[in-house]
């Protein structure tokens, strides 16, 4: 940003830019204003990742409009999260569109080759947590990560988790997805020596209070190296894990 | 109760009791009314256990009054829970009084020999949970149980817990005491094949919300065979565990 | 577990097992990995009970897959809890399948003869609590317990409860199921001299807040000998009660 | 009120009052403005009861000022609730002042003879609930009610409550004071055929959450004829009970 | 109760009753056990009111069964609350059945003549609170009270409330029904010199949190003489108000 | 009000009004009582704004009745908020009726020319917040304000917000509408030097808890000059903003 | 801001500024960095008000440092809120320092003459709410507003409020301060035709839950024209009210 | 772990180890059992970091015991978090002990040279958040990270944050520490292209509810790349950030 400003000022000093042009340029919006949304265009550059559209609460037409605006300006890959099967059906006309029904993610464009430090392990406490885990896994894959899935390894049957100790010990980053008691994150956090991203899920009933129980449990994890995202936020966990798994590429 | 009623009626039918005497007897209160409290006297008979006084919110003088009333009517052993060190100091004059400072329990009378089915294991997630655990352990001991203490075996260091697998596998009943994430109960519940009584503690800070986090986590335990008592209720857990550990004696 | 490890090591020492075979054996998973679930197979041995499948959030096909995997490996009886009538309809093809609609439990295999210490009493505060109570009762029956049902004996009409005093006094363990104010557990806890497992239900409206009111009330029970499971967790209560009712068989 | 307005208007019509005098009169404040407080003077008339000062958050000087203002304008009796022992010490100079330390109530003036329909029964679940109960009892006595105290009759020992069945059956109105599980209100509500005013108390620990548990339990009481006041609001219950106990005097 | 016991004992003493008959009699249940419910039969006697069935969570067949059992044993009037229009349709065959759709109450039997001390005023904050108010009003009418309805008199338009000051001042007891801010109860409590029964409703959105806002507001009412029932509990308020309005008849 | 009273009294003094007429007049209700509602008629005068009907929980027939009563008594413009598309369809027969589907507002009568101090800016964090924002915007427009819409300018893409810095700096009052983290209000509050009215929305999932997250965040805003209305209360924000934007017209 | 940027660019174009100087200038921080705090200096200009320091959690030395930095750069008046009497004692050496103990505000510099549109009315429900009200009142006075105080006018004694109807009707903006039920805001909102800023206070006990009850009540106010600030945030209300009261000066 | 097991088995196979020795070895505890705590010894190896002791709830003597046990077994550096100044005073005798009072951290042993990928930026919303930030910063420094502190850059004064844009853009990982509204995390998350670890603090009052407001806000952050730790958990954030900042060293 600083360099951009400096460049503009140098152009002004050099007479290559009038003052009014400079003011305009400094205010130039790095997004297209579609009225109902302002589609970010420079994010791939600014944050080094494909652009993502949060699909919930948007009509298929709105989503399509945003996708087209992005693609027409050179965005390689676009993810649409929280995309219902019905809405996906209406987007099928988009070029290079594919839909992951369990993850409820639509992808437009190519999936990059894995280029992270290592593998991202996605583990779930139970079978019902799989949709959230898939949101995390597909997100991580679309962001260039190799993903290992360990589903239904909840702490009530510790042997199921321990039988995968090698995957856990060798992971670059682990996403622990669990509802109900949410103990999975802490147990994995104690076993692993890599960062653990915990995702509480709303799976459960009664005193799980829509994921509150798992959320609090994860926030209070006694293991070091655990951080937490919102309830059911598989996308956020996948995105965050990918950032960690691409750290070495940064410098 | 039924037999008592029948006995009274038979006495009436036999003329051994007048109607008014019978009415009186049926209403005879199995407690001494001390004004500020109604000291139960028949509980040892009715529930097969020493009498227990909840010490919080009672003055040493009130506690002493209740103890004396009970003892004078033949109660062998009396427990006083939630008894501060200061209050304990004032009760030192009572015959056969001893005080467990960490458990904050005062005992008047003899501790019975262990006569349960097996051992009661009391496990804690951390060092800070020990006072609650001691309340459970001392309670269980006073109720005639052999107690094995496994302290600081939280799930963040699973090897510490697993190194005691034999104690866990052979226990008659296990009391799992933990604050923060409260995952200990679920992990032990998955390992053990005996009932697990979970005690959430108010140990922690921030989003532990005074024990709420551990409480919800334990209630949502995915392991079968886990039930929960109130936050910090070591006494309740020790009492409940003792009941289970004396099941075979019942019939 | 210890004995298993020792056995393997002895075989290695005796040359009956190569090192690699031993490593493999130590890691041998006591479950079948179905992708979406890891079906426990050794549980009947490890915990002495039929295997249980939590049906909520699983498709009938997934449930059937798990059941078949278990049965093909010798599991005598399988319970499926939280099974909707629709899903049950699709499972009707399974051998020896029967469905308890009020309890929403499907059972595959034989129900064992009652072999517990005594009777498990299941009491409810009202008529609306019956489905949860039936989940507890059917679970307990499938685990080999004689069950006595006392429905609609809430404390607002104490005479209804007291008229069953004999059942309460003679029970081996009591499951108290109540929504709304949840006072049933405490009152029964004061009457009975056996363990009481309290099940709050989500029955109610307004300030019952989905069972929170009953849950808190039960956790705060002033009677000793009461512990609590999750809201609406009839299965957990039935399972826990069965454990208690089979204590004498353990040693 | 209407009659007052009509009287003023008639005086205006009759020329006994100028318009400006009438406007003034219509606005005449039935209280003294002390700056920090507006001391109600007409309440004894308007609501038929002694005036009450909520002592918490007021300095002894402020309280004394309000009392003097009221007394100087003819108020017979004044109650000061939530009055600490220290503050009471500073008010000792007031004429006819007496202090009830357990109830934390100061009274200035005479206590009326009981003139209600019948007796107000004040029952508590435990010994720790007594201060709140005393606030209710002393309030009711100062408002002209005969009070019967039944303390420590919690539902965990039902025989203690039932031994007072006659008091409960014959009460005009019952105040049920309980913390923890708060079941007392519902049980009494089921036994009695008079209105029950339930007072949750903040007595307890852990999941009693400062009285929330008892409050929710009482609001969800399954017995008809129970209503609830704020946590620890002994005064409100005593006042409300007195209103009910004086209903026949009203017409 | 006491007199009943005495009578039985006298019969035993007189030889008119054998001991076994007496035991039986003492245990004789004052209700019919229908399996799914225990229909109270003596309540009209014991509590002086028509019997009430809480319709929610009961099938029309169950309700009909309970009604028939009651009626066949002499119960004059039966109320069924929380009765949906559909269920009411199925009960239309019952003799003397009528349905109040807004109150969602079905009544079987005659409505008694008003015989209370005075009028019960039912006031609501808004139009949306009317269904809860009607539940209270119809209940009160069925219990023999004259009812005055003041609907949509919320405090945001104080003139609407004040224009009915005469009704408020002359009421025997007032039921204040309000959602959202719930201020109606406190304002009426300050105006009236009779007991006010406050009913919070779940009407509202956002931070009304299903009636929690109104509930807390009402519990914290600064006016004396206000007590509260559960959210949306129109029946409870009507029942409680009727008790108060019939106080003079009691002695 | 005072002047009205004085006028009435002068008329009485002058004999132009009898006492009874005066009493009547003083009680004259400034609303029409429709049974189910009391339609305010003098509000346009008293509060200087069109009359507003809260449409939720009212039938189209009730709404129409209220509208007609108001219009027949001279009310120029009537707003109906929370009006579903279906209900709007049934009101189409009303003269000068139009419906804003996204805002869910129906308007009967003319929209006034903007006559406020300046512009009301309505900003949203995301696309999903637009319906609430439109409720605020349409309300403000109907109350005579010029409205500038800045949608989808959430703080996660600060450049989108900053590109509209001029609108923000020049606004008369800003309505900040956001769900999820609700940070928009604080950031705008720090940028702007005009009052900011914050509207939390229920947009979000998981730990947004139906808008609670945004609500708390906005209440805790560190920027001065921010106040908050209820979750999703676009109308309230628009109304409040209009009041501020018309301040200079007041004197 | 825009004009500043343009000015810098023009200077660059004119050669009056080198590019590096311009970069520097664009980044020039409008605050002094004191390490522990960044003292804003341009706020008086940017937001048109005296600078404010939030005193809680800052040492007197830190506060003094910030004050001196501001004053040395020309800031006329500085407010320190949440300033304890002890801390105020240590600041007494500052020039032109004065302390308002009830409001817990320290002021350095002159208080401006009132120059707002009209008067700001500050009303409280009770005497205990006065400290919060004083924080609002002193803040408003320091920001150039005439303040009218109406203390202890809670809705439980409506006549106390109505006797000040003229103040309420003529106010420019009203700050309604109340704890407990918080109904004051809604009632005033219904009476007044100016904006009402509601301040919930933490005054109360039991189910007031530290101000939550008043907060929810105020957010749910049925009166239009009410917005809410944080619990006990008297400063925020005074600041916001002042903004509204200075609207006409803006253009 | 696997390799360790294999090694043991090979030794058994080779006769270098008897079966009993092997069993013993497999169970050998990698910690010293001090009774009150089980001091981990292998963690430096297992997790690649200095050992950490959570000081809260431990006596200085207990802490010293654990430190000595660790040091005597070769642990280079030990951190003691949540260490009060008083407790630190008693530990001063330990070799190479130093105390960071603001961070409340004691360190025994050497601080390593920074060897991470880049810099860890620690930013706070206000001055009161500094203690939590220092806990994070000192932790990160002790784990071998270069730390840049940006304190008091809350979003209410966006220019203070933006003036440090370069630090933010160039960070390897950012720790965002904020109480009250907690918006800092989301705004930084939108600006930065590195992982952001958010730490809610309990700083605030009223509706901040002990950090709940900031916690919820951060969990709901609309920016990608944000995860959250427990309220006030500066240590956890520093530890987690260090893990991320050392990712490239891992492979």
């Amino acid at each position: 940003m600083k360099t951009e400003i400096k460049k503009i000022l140098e152009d002004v000093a050099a007479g290559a830019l009038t003052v009014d042009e400079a003011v305009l340029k400094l205010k130039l919006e790095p997004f297209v204003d579609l009225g109902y949304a302002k589609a970010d265009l420079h994010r791939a550059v600014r944050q080094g990742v494909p652009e993502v559209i949060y699909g919930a609460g948007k009509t298929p037409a709105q989503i399509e409009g945003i996708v087209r605006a992005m693609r027409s300006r050179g965005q390689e890959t676009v993810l649409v999260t929280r995309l219902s099967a019905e809405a996906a059906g209406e987007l099928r006309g988009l070029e290079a569109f594919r839909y992951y029904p369990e993850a409820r993610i639509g992808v437009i464009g190519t999936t990059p080759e894995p280029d992270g430090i290592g593998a991202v392990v996605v583990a779930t406490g139970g079978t019902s947590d799989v949709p959230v885990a898939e949101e995390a896994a597909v997100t991580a894959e679309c962001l260039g990560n190799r993903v290992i899935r360990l589903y239904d390894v909840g702490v009530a049957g510790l042997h199921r988790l321990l039988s995968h100790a090698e995957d856990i010990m060798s992971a670059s980053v682990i996403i622990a997805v669990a509802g109900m008691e949410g103990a999975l994150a802490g147990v994995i956090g104690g076993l692993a020596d890599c960062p653990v991203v915990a995702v509480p899920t709303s799976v459960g009933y009664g005193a799980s209070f829509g994921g509150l129980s798992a959320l609090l449990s994860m926030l209070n994890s006694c293991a070091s190296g655990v951080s937490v995202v919102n309830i059911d936020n598989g996308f956020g966990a996948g995105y965050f894990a990918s950032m960690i798994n691409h750290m070495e590429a940064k410098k």
Side-chain angles (χ1 to χ4, degrees), chain A:
Chain A
M1 217 157 109
K2 181 195 131 200
T3 50
E4 259 181 75
I5 294 178
K6 198 164 180 179
K7 179 69 177 53
I8 293 171
L9 293 172
E10 284 170 350
D11 285 355
V12 172
L17 221 60
T18 69
V19 166
D20 279 334
E21 284 167 349
V23 167
L24 198 73
K25 216 160 183 152
L26 280 168
K27 285 180 55 185
L28 236 178
E29 311 177 2
F31 49 79
V32 189
D33 197 331
L34 301 170
Y36 49 84
K38 308 206 185 310
D40 258 300
L41 298 173
H42 293 192
R43 199 169 186 186
V45 178
R46 195 164 45 84
Q47 296 214 348
V49 299
E51 195 57 46
V52 181
I53 300 169
Y54 177 66
K58 298 203 180 74
T59 64
Q62 286 178 326
I63 293 171
E64 187 171 343
I66 301 174
V67 170
R68 287 197 188 284
M70 288 170 167
R71 297 276 288 178
S72 72
R73 274 160 189 81
Q75 178 75 35
E76 197 72 5
T77 311
V78 179
L79 260 76
V80 188
T81 63
R82 307 270 160 148
L83 184 68
S84 67
E86 295 73 37
E90 298 192 32
L91 295 178
R92 222 154 265 170
L94 285 166
E95 186 194 358
F97 176 87
R98 62 198 174 288
Y99 183 60
Y100 299 83
E102 200 155 27
R104 294 201 302 153
I105 289 182
V107 182
I108 301 98
T110 56
T111 301
E113 283 303 298
D115 60 351
I117 296 174
V120 173
V121 167
V122 181
T124 77
T127 299
S128 316
D129 302 315
V130 168
V132 176
E134 278 300 307
E135 191 184 270
V138 171
T139 297
E141 285 170 343
C142 289
L143 297 176
N145 299 275
R146 186 164 62 85
V147 172
I148 298 173
R149 288 161 169 85
L150 301 182
Y151 290 170
D152 195 22
V153 294
V155 301
L158 214 49
H159 54 294
R160 296 181 303 189
L161 180 61
L162 294 179
S163 75
H164 293 284
E166 256 166 294
D167 287 327
I168 290 169
M169 300 304 286
S170 68
S172 181
V173 52
I174 303 174
I175 298 172
V177 183
M180 303 295 289
E181 68 190 307
L184 186 66
V187 171
I188 288 183
L191 289 174
D193 58 353
C194 71
V196 175
V197 184
V199 192
T201 73
S202 57
V203 166
Y205 63 89
S208 76
F209 293 127
L212 179 64
S213 170
L215 170 64
L216 294 183
S217 181
M218 286 168 167
L219 285 168
N220 282 286
S221 173
C222 303
S224 303
V226 177
S227 76
V228 186
V229 297
N230 194 3
I231 298 165
D232 291 337
N233 189 3
F235 165 73
Y239 187 100
F240 195 79
S242 177
M243 274 184 148
I244 296 175
N245 195 34
H246 286 84
M247 286 300 288
E248 72 175 345
K250 193 190 167 177
K251 268 220 293 210

